[in-house]
Coordinates of all heavy atoms in Angstrom, one line a residue:
M1 N 67.4 92.4 95.9 CA 67.5 93.8 95.4 C 69.0 94.0 94.9 O 69.2 94.6 93.9 CB 67.1 94.7 96.4 CG 67.1 96.1 95.9 SD 66.1 97.0 97.0 CE 66.8 98.5 97.1
V2 N 69.9 93.5 95.7 CA 71.3 93.7 95.3 C 71.7 92.9 94.1 O 72.4 93.3 93.3 CB 72.2 93.3 96.5 CG1 73.7 93.4 96.2 CG2 71.9 94.2 97.7
R3 N 71.1 91.7 93.9 CA 71.3 90.9 92.8 C 70.9 91.7 91.5 O 71.6 91.6 90.5 CB 70.5 89.6 92.8 CG 71.1 88.7 93.8 CD 70.3 87.4 93.9 NE 70.8 86.6 95.0 CZ 70.2 85.5 95.4 NH1 69.0 85.2 94.9 NH2 70.7 84.9 96.4
W4 N 69.8 92.4 91.5 CA 69.4 93.1 90.3 C 70.4 94.3 90.1 O 70.7 94.6 88.9 CB 68.0 93.7 90.6 CG 66.9 92.8 90.2 CD1 66.1 92.1 91.1 CD2 66.6 92.2 88.9 NE1 65.3 91.3 90.5 CE2 65.5 91.3 89.2 CE3 67.0 92.5 87.7 CZ2 64.9 90.7 88.1 CZ3 66.4 91.8 86.6 CH2 65.4 90.9 86.8
A5 N 70.9 94.9 91.1 CA 71.9 96.0 91.0 C 73.1 95.4 90.3 O 73.7 96.1 89.4 CB 72.1 96.6 92.3
V6 N 73.6 94.3 90.8 CA 74.8 93.7 90.2 C 74.6 93.3 88.7 O 75.4 93.5 87.8 CB 75.2 92.5 91.0 CG1 76.3 91.7 90.3 CG2 75.7 92.9 92.4
F7 N 73.4 92.8 88.5 CA 73.0 92.5 87.1 C 73.1 93.7 86.2 O 73.6 93.8 85.1 CB 71.7 91.8 87.0 CG 71.1 91.6 85.6 CD1 71.6 90.6 84.8 CD2 70.0 92.4 85.2 CE1 71.1 90.4 83.6 CE2 69.6 92.2 83.9 CZ 70.1 91.2 83.1
C8 N 72.5 94.8 86.7 CA 72.5 96.1 85.9 C 73.9 96.7 85.7 O 74.2 97.2 84.7 CB 71.6 97.1 86.6 SG 69.8 96.6 86.5
C9 N 74.7 96.5 86.8 CA 76.1 97.0 86.7 C 76.9 96.2 85.5 O 77.8 96.8 85.0 CB 76.9 96.8 88.0 SG 76.3 98.0 89.2
A10 N 76.5 95.0 85.3 CA 77.1 94.2 84.2 C 76.4 94.5 82.9 O 77.1 94.6 81.8 CB 77.1 92.8 84.5
L11 N 75.1 94.7 82.9 CA 74.3 94.8 81.7 C 74.6 96.1 81.0 O 74.8 96.2 79.8 CB 72.9 94.6 81.9 CG 72.0 94.7 80.7 CD1 72.3 93.5 79.7 CD2 70.5 94.6 81.2
V12 N 74.6 97.3 81.8 CA 74.6 98.5 81.2 C 75.9 98.8 80.3 O 75.8 99.2 79.2 CB 74.5 99.6 82.3 CG1 74.8 101.0 81.8 CG2 73.0 99.6 82.8
P13 N 77.1 98.4 80.9 CA 78.3 98.6 80.0 C 78.3 97.8 78.7 O 78.7 98.2 77.7 CB 79.4 98.1 80.9 CG 78.9 98.3 82.3 CD 77.4 98.1 82.2
L14 N 77.7 96.6 78.9 CA 77.6 95.7 77.6 C 76.7 96.4 76.6 O 77.0 96.4 75.4 CB 77.1 94.3 78.0 CG 78.0 93.5 78.8 CD1 77.3 92.1 79.2 CD2 79.3 93.2 78.0
V15 N 75.6 97.0 77.0 CA 74.7 97.7 76.1 C 75.5 98.9 75.5 O 75.3 99.2 74.3 CB 73.4 98.1 76.8 CG1 72.6 99.0 75.9 CG2 72.6 96.8 77.2
L16 N 76.2 99.7 76.4 CA 76.9 100.8 75.8 C 77.9 100.4 74.8 O 78.1 101.1 73.8 CB 77.5 101.5 77.0 CG 76.6 102.3 78.0 CD1 77.5 102.8 79.2 CD2 75.9 103.4 77.2
L17 N 78.6 99.3 75.1 CA 79.6 98.8 74.1 C 78.9 98.4 72.8 O 79.4 98.6 71.7 CB 80.4 97.6 74.6 CG 81.4 98.0 75.7 CD1 82.0 96.7 76.3 CD2 82.5 98.8 75.1
A18 N 77.7 97.8 72.9 CA 76.9 97.4 71.7 C 76.6 98.5 70.8 O 76.4 98.4 69.6 CB 75.7 96.6 72.2
F19 N 76.3 99.7 71.5 CA 75.9 100.9 70.8 C 77.0 101.8 70.4 O 76.8 102.9 70.0 CB 74.9 101.7 71.6 CG 73.5 101.1 71.5 CD1 73.0 100.2 72.5 CD2 72.6 101.3 70.4 CE1 71.7 99.6 72.4 CE2 71.4 100.8 70.3 CZ 70.9 99.9 71.3
G20 N 78.3 101.3 70.6 CA 79.4 102.0 70.0 C 80.1 102.9 71.0 O 81.0 103.7 70.6
T21 N 79.9 102.8 72.3 CA 80.6 103.6 73.3 C 82.0 103.0 73.4 O 82.2 101.8 73.3 CB 79.9 103.6 74.6 OG1 78.6 104.1 74.4 CG2 80.6 104.5 75.7
S22 N 82.9 103.9 73.7 CA 84.3 103.4 73.9 C 84.5 102.4 75.1 O 83.6 102.5 76.0 CB 85.3 104.6 74.1 OG 85.1 105.2 75.3
L23 N 85.5 101.6 75.1 CA 85.7 100.8 76.2 C 86.0 101.5 77.5 O 85.5 101.1 78.6 CB 86.9 99.8 75.9 CG 87.2 98.7 76.8 CD1 86.0 97.7 77.0 CD2 88.4 97.9 76.4
G24 N 86.7 102.6 77.4 CA 86.9 103.4 78.6 C 85.7 104.0 79.2 O 85.5 104.1 80.4
G25 N 84.8 104.5 78.3 CA 83.5 105.1 78.7 C 82.6 104.0 79.4 O 82.0 104.3 80.4
A26 N 82.6 102.8 78.8 CA 81.8 101.8 79.4 C 82.4 101.3 80.7 O 81.6 101.0 81.7 CB 81.7 100.6 78.4
G27 N 83.7 101.3 80.8 CA 84.4 100.9 82.0 C 84.1 101.9 83.1 O 83.9 101.6 84.3
G28 N 84.2 103.2 82.8 CA 83.9 104.3 83.7 C 82.5 104.2 84.2 O 82.2 104.4 85.4
T29 N 81.5 103.9 83.3 CA 80.2 103.7 83.7 C 80.0 102.6 84.7 O 79.3 102.6 85.7 CB 79.3 103.5 82.5 OG1 79.4 104.7 81.7 CG2 77.8 103.4 82.9
A30 N 80.7 101.5 84.4 CA 80.6 100.3 85.2 C 81.1 100.6 86.7 O 80.5 100.2 87.7 CB 81.4 99.2 84.6
L31 N 82.3 101.3 86.7 CA 82.8 101.7 88.0 C 81.9 102.7 88.8 O 81.7 102.5 90.0 CB 84.2 102.3 87.8 CG 85.3 101.4 87.5 CD1 86.6 102.2 87.2 CD2 85.6 100.4 88.6
G32 N 81.2 103.6 88.1 CA 80.3 104.5 88.7 C 79.1 103.8 89.3 O 78.7 104.0 90.4
L33 N 78.6 102.9 88.5 CA 77.4 102.1 88.9 C 77.7 101.2 90.1 O 77.0 101.0 91.0 CB 76.8 101.3 87.8 CG 76.1 102.0 86.7 CD1 75.8 101.1 85.5 CD2 74.8 102.6 87.3
A34 N 78.9 100.6 90.0 CA 79.4 99.7 91.1 C 79.5 100.5 92.5 O 79.2 100.0 93.5 CB 80.6 99.0 90.8
S35 N 80.1 101.7 92.3 CA 80.3 102.5 93.5 C 78.9 103.0 94.1 O 78.8 103.0 95.4 CB 81.2 103.7 93.3 OG 80.6 104.6 92.4
V36 N 78.0 103.4 93.3 CA 76.7 103.8 93.7 C 76.0 102.6 94.4 O 75.4 102.7 95.5 CB 75.8 104.4 92.6 CG1 74.5 104.6 93.0 CG2 76.4 105.7 92.2
T37 N 76.1 101.4 93.8 CA 75.5 100.2 94.3 C 76.0 99.9 95.7 O 75.3 99.5 96.6 CB 75.6 99.0 93.3 OG1 75.1 99.3 92.1 CG2 75.1 97.7 93.9
A38 N 77.4 100.0 95.8 CA 78.0 99.7 97.1 C 77.6 100.6 98.2 O 77.3 100.3 99.3 CB 79.5 99.7 97.0
A39 N 77.5 101.9 97.8 CA 77.1 103.0 98.8 C 75.6 102.7 99.2 O 75.3 102.8 100.4 CB 77.2 104.4 98.2
C40 N 74.7 102.3 98.3 CA 73.4 102.1 98.6 C 73.2 100.9 99.5 O 72.5 100.9 100.5 CB 72.5 102.0 97.4 SG 72.3 103.5 96.5
R41 N 74.0 99.8 99.2 CA 74.0 98.6 100.0 C 74.4 98.9 101.5 O 73.8 98.4 102.4 CB 74.9 97.6 99.4 CG 74.8 96.3 100.1 CD 75.7 95.2 99.3 NE 75.5 93.9 99.9 CZ 76.2 92.9 99.7 NH1 77.1 93.0 98.7 NH2 76.1 91.8 100.3
L42 N 75.5 99.8 101.6 CA 76.0 100.1 102.9 C 74.9 100.9 103.7 O 74.7 100.6 104.8 CB 77.2 101.0 102.8 CG 77.8 101.5 104.1 CD1 78.4 100.4 104.9 CD2 78.8 102.6 103.8
L43 N 74.3 101.8 103.0 CA 73.2 102.6 103.7 C 72.0 101.7 104.1 O 71.4 101.9 105.2 CB 72.7 103.8 102.8 CG 73.8 104.9 102.6 CD1 73.3 105.9 101.5 CD2 74.0 105.6 103.9
L44 N 71.6 100.8 103.2 CA 70.5 99.8 103.6 C 70.9 99.0 104.8 O 70.1 98.8 105.7 CB 70.2 98.9 102.4 CG 69.4 99.5 101.3 CD1 69.4 98.6 100.1 CD2 68.0 99.8 101.8
R45 N 72.1 98.5 104.9 CA 72.5 97.7 106.0 C 72.5 98.6 107.3 O 72.1 98.1 108.3 CB 73.9 97.2 105.9 CG 74.0 96.0 104.9 CD 75.3 95.4 104.9 NE 75.3 94.2 104.1 CZ 76.5 93.4 104.0 NH1 77.6 93.8 104.5 NH2 76.3 92.3 103.2
R46 N 73.0 99.8 107.2 CA 72.9 100.7 108.4 C 71.5 100.9 108.9 O 71.3 100.9 110.0 CB 73.6 102.0 108.0 CG 75.0 102.1 108.3 CD 75.5 103.5 108.0 NE 76.6 103.8 108.9 CZ 77.2 104.9 109.0 NH1 76.8 105.9 108.2 NH2 78.2 105.1 109.9
A47 N 70.6 101.2 107.9 CA 69.3 101.5 108.3 C 68.6 100.2 108.9 O 67.9 100.3 109.9 CB 68.5 101.9 107.0
E48 N 68.9 99.0 108.4 CA 68.3 97.8 109.0 C 68.9 97.6 110.4 O 68.1 97.3 111.3 CB 68.7 96.6 108.1 CG 67.9 96.6 106.8 CD 68.3 95.5 105.8 OE1 69.4 94.8 106.2 OE2 67.7 95.3 104.8
R49 N 70.2 97.9 110.6 CA 70.7 97.7 112.0 C 70.1 98.7 112.8 O 69.8 98.3 114.0 CB 72.2 97.9 111.9 CG 73.0 96.6 111.7 CD 74.4 96.8 111.9 NE 75.1 96.6 110.7 CZ 76.1 97.4 110.2 NH1 76.6 98.4 110.9 NH2 76.6 97.1 109.1
G50 N 69.9 99.9 112.4 CA 69.2 100.9 113.3 C 67.8 100.5 113.6 O 67.4 100.8 114.8
L51 N 67.1 100.0 112.7 CA 65.7 99.6 112.9 C 65.7 98.4 114.0 O 64.8 98.3 114.8 CB 65.0 99.2 111.7 CG 64.6 100.3 110.8 CD1 64.0 99.8 109.4 CD2 63.6 101.2 111.4
R52 N 66.6 97.5 113.8 CA 66.7 96.3 114.7 C 67.0 96.8 116.1 O 66.4 96.3 117.1 CB 67.7 95.3 114.3 CG 67.1 94.3 113.3 CD 68.1 93.2 113.1 NE 68.4 93.3 111.6 CZ 69.7 93.3 111.2 NH1 70.7 93.2 112.0 NH2 69.9 93.4 109.9
A53 N 68.0 97.8 116.2 CA 68.4 98.3 117.5 C 67.2 99.0 118.2 O 67.0 99.0 119.4 CB 69.6 99.2 117.4
E54 N 66.5 99.8 117.4 CA 65.4 100.5 117.9 C 64.2 99.6 118.4 O 63.6 99.8 119.4 CB 64.8 101.5 116.8 CG 63.8 102.4 117.3 CD 63.4 103.4 116.1 OE1 64.3 104.1 115.6 OE2 62.2 103.4 115.8
G55 N 64.0 98.5 117.6 CA 63.0 97.5 118.0 C 63.4 96.8 119.2 O 62.5 96.5 120.1
A56 N 64.7 96.5 119.4 CA 65.1 95.8 120.6 C 65.0 96.6 121.9 O 64.8 96.1 122.9 CB 66.6 95.3 120.4
A57 N 65.2 97.9 121.7 CA 65.1 98.8 122.8 C 63.7 98.9 123.4 O 63.5 99.3 124.5 CB 65.7 100.2 122.5
G58 N 62.7 98.7 122.6 CA 61.3 98.7 123.0 C 60.7 100.1 122.6 O 61.3 101.1 122.4
P59 N 59.4 100.0 122.6 CA 58.7 101.3 122.1 C 58.8 102.3 123.3 O 58.7 102.0 124.5 CB 57.2 100.8 122.0 CG 57.1 99.5 122.8 CD 58.5 98.9 122.8
G60 N 58.9 103.6 122.9 CA 58.9 104.7 123.8 C 60.2 104.9 124.5 O 60.4 105.8 125.3
S61 N 61.2 104.1 124.2 CA 62.5 104.3 124.9 C 63.4 105.3 124.1 O 64.4 105.8 124.7 CB 63.3 103.0 125.0 OG 63.6 102.5 123.6
R62 N 63.0 105.7 123.0 CA 63.7 106.7 122.2 C 63.4 108.1 122.7 O 62.2 108.4 122.8 CB 63.4 106.6 120.7 CG 64.3 107.4 119.9 CD 64.1 107.0 118.4 NE 64.9 107.9 117.6 CZ 64.8 107.9 116.3 NH1 63.9 107.2 115.7 NH2 65.6 108.7 115.6
H63 N 64.4 108.9 123.0 CA 64.1 110.2 123.5 C 63.7 111.2 122.3 O 64.4 111.2 121.3 CB 65.4 110.8 124.1 CG 65.3 112.2 124.6 ND1 64.4 112.6 125.6 CD2 66.0 113.3 124.3 CE1 64.5 113.9 125.8 NE2 65.5 114.3 125.0
R64 N 62.6 111.9 122.5 CA 62.2 112.9 121.6 C 62.3 114.2 122.2 O 61.8 114.5 123.2 CB 60.7 112.6 121.2 CG 60.4 111.3 120.6 CD 59.1 111.2 120.1 NE 59.0 110.9 118.7 CZ 58.0 111.0 118.0 NH1 56.8 111.4 118.5 NH2 58.0 110.7 116.7
G65 N 63.1 115.1 121.5 CA 63.3 116.4 122.1 C 63.3 117.5 121.2 O 63.2 117.8 120.2

């Protein structure tokens, strides 16, 4: 999934340049996409770690209140 995100982060600015967007605009778009991709990757890793920790604790060990 991350590979596709990296591919899109490279492809979108190239397409924007091909359609006449300025270099600064395409660069800003690339930075924006890269930052969103990094944030999503961080959140996915956190969620996976949380699921692993929850699974290791065993069923029913989580307090519901």
Side-chain angles (χ1 to χ4, degrees):
M1 187 158 145
V2 175
R3 289 180 187 165
W4 279 108
V6 171
F7 173 72
C8 290
C9 286
L11 181 65
V12 169
L14 291 175
V15 170
L16 288 173
L17 287 173
F19 281 98
T21 304
S22 68
L23 186 60
T29 301
L31 286 175
L33 286 171
S35 64
V36 168
T37 301
C40 290
R41 185 175 183 190
L42 176 72
L43 290 172
L44 280 170
R45 282 187 175 182
R46 273 187 144 182
E48 287 174 352
R49 269 192 247 139
L51 287 174
R52 271 190 246 129
E54 188 175 302
S61 64
R62 189 172 177 190
H63 175 62
R64 296 183 125 195

